[in-house]
Amino acid sequence: MWCYRGGSISAEPRINDRIRVPEVRLVGPSGEQVGIVPLAKALELAQEYDLDLVEVAATARPPVCKLMDYGKFKYESAMKAREARKNQAHTVIKEMKLRPKIDPHDYDTKKGHVVRFLKQGDKVKITIMFRGREQSRPELGFRLLQRLASDVEDLGFIESNPKQDGRNMIMVLGPHKKKTEAMAEAREAQAARKAERQGYANEETSEEAAEAPAEAPAETSEA
């Protein structure tokens, strides 16, 4: 049985003198098709352009190579990957627990949390917890869930209808707004607040400068 005992296999493409084939299908620096040329000729062109010869399709016959600034290409690729990770939307399910006979103040507080979660683009799992004799009145929990869904219908929708789960009743609300949109809006709002604070600071500085007393002219003595 074959077993690999060497170091880690590099995922990076072969470049310049690491390319070991007699000929390549060459792509120019602007994406133009040069055609099939000997490897020596491709390396010579790379030197003329002061670029690297990069193998971009090793399994093709012959392999496809492109003339490019490989260092710049790696840097730009890393920046794109970093930006993609930053904007990546992770599905988050928040949970909110209520009692069937919740008082109005607590209901408004809980609803406020649900509103915030939906605005952030997160799903919300609503759990109604029944105790004692409340278990014989599931319609109380159902009506409460329907009321909450109606109160936040501008921000979310019922993704999973109310269902009994042991002594609890569960419903899942999904946001109308995608997570990526919510994140973008949050960044824009943060930038706007920062600019507003900076504007206030500049105004205060200008007012202080205007209110500062002018220096009296220096007195001169006559001989």
Side-chain angles (χ1 to χ4, degrees):
M1 182 175 65
W2 181 86
C3 180
Y4 176 73
R5 298 182 182 278
S8 60
I9 299 176
S10 174
E12 293 191 359
R14 294 186 295 183
I15 66 172
N16 300 325
D17 56 358
R18 296 180 184 176
I19 302 172
R20 303 290 186 179
V21 291
E23 59 184 15
V24 298
R25 184 178 297 278
L26 186 62
V27 179
S30 300
E32 69 276 15
Q33 297 290 332
V34 179
I36 298 175
V37 299
L39 176 62
K41 178 63 176 177
L43 290 171
E44 181 182 330
L45 289 173
Q47 289 183 339
E48 289 181 8
Y49 283 102
D50 194 23
L51 295 172
D52 299 300
L53 182 67
V54 182
E55 190 177 57
V56 295
T59 57
R61 291 292 177 268
V64 180
C65 294
K66 184 176 181 180
L67 297 173
M68 67 172 74
D69 183 337
Y70 187 57
K72 180 180 178 182
F73 170 76
K74 284 187 66 177
Y75 174 77
E76 291 176 348
S77 297
M79 290 299 99
K80 288 179 181 178
R82 181 181 177 184
E83 188 66 21
R85 287 194 300 271
K86 186 173 71 173
N87 294 327
Q88 187 175 7
H90 298 282
T91 301
V92 177
I93 299 181
K94 305 290 187 177
E95 185 171 9
M96 188 58 55
K97 296 181 179 181
L98 297 82
R99 295 292 305 281
K101 297 180 180 179
I102 187 170
D103 67 68
H105 176 74
D106 286 345
Y107 175 79
D108 289 339
T109 300
K110 301 278 189 178
K111 184 180 72 174
H113 292 313
V114 174
V115 166
R116 177 165 54 86
F117 295 149
L118 292 173
K119 282 183 176 180
Q120 293 172 352
D122 295 324
K123 297 181 181 182
V124 188
K125 175 184 175 183
I126 312 295
T127 301
I128 304 295
M129 301 180 297
F130 296 94
R131 292 181 182 175
R133 295 180 180 180
E134 294 174 347
Q135 297 178 55
S136 63
R137 301 288 304 279
E139 70 276 6
L140 295 177
F142 182 82
R143 285 201 296 264
L144 182 58
L145 291 175
Q146 290 293 320
R147 174 189 172 190
L148 180 58
S150 177
D151 286 347
V152 299
E153 62 182 355
D154 291 342
L155 299 171
F157 61 95
I158 298 177
E159 184 173 287
S160 178
N161 287 313
K163 63 180 180 180
Q164 199 76 30
D165 182 21
R167 292 190 294 179
N168 299 330
M169 184 174 287
I170 295 171
M171 177 182 72
V172 177
L173 296 175
H176 291 312
K177 190 180 299 180
K178 293 182 179 179
K179 184 72 173 179
T180 50
E181 295 174 359
M183 293 170 63
E185 289 183 4
R187 286 196 294 269
E188 290 176 2
Q190 183 179 12
R193 289 193 298 269
K194 183 177 180 181
E196 187 177 4
R197 288 195 299 268
Q198 186 63 42
Y200 287 149
N202 292 339
E203 288 179 6
E204 291 177 357
T205 302
S206 299
E207 291 176 357
E208 290 175 358
E211 293 174 358
E215 292 185 2
E219 296 183 359
T220 57
S221 58
E222 296 181 0

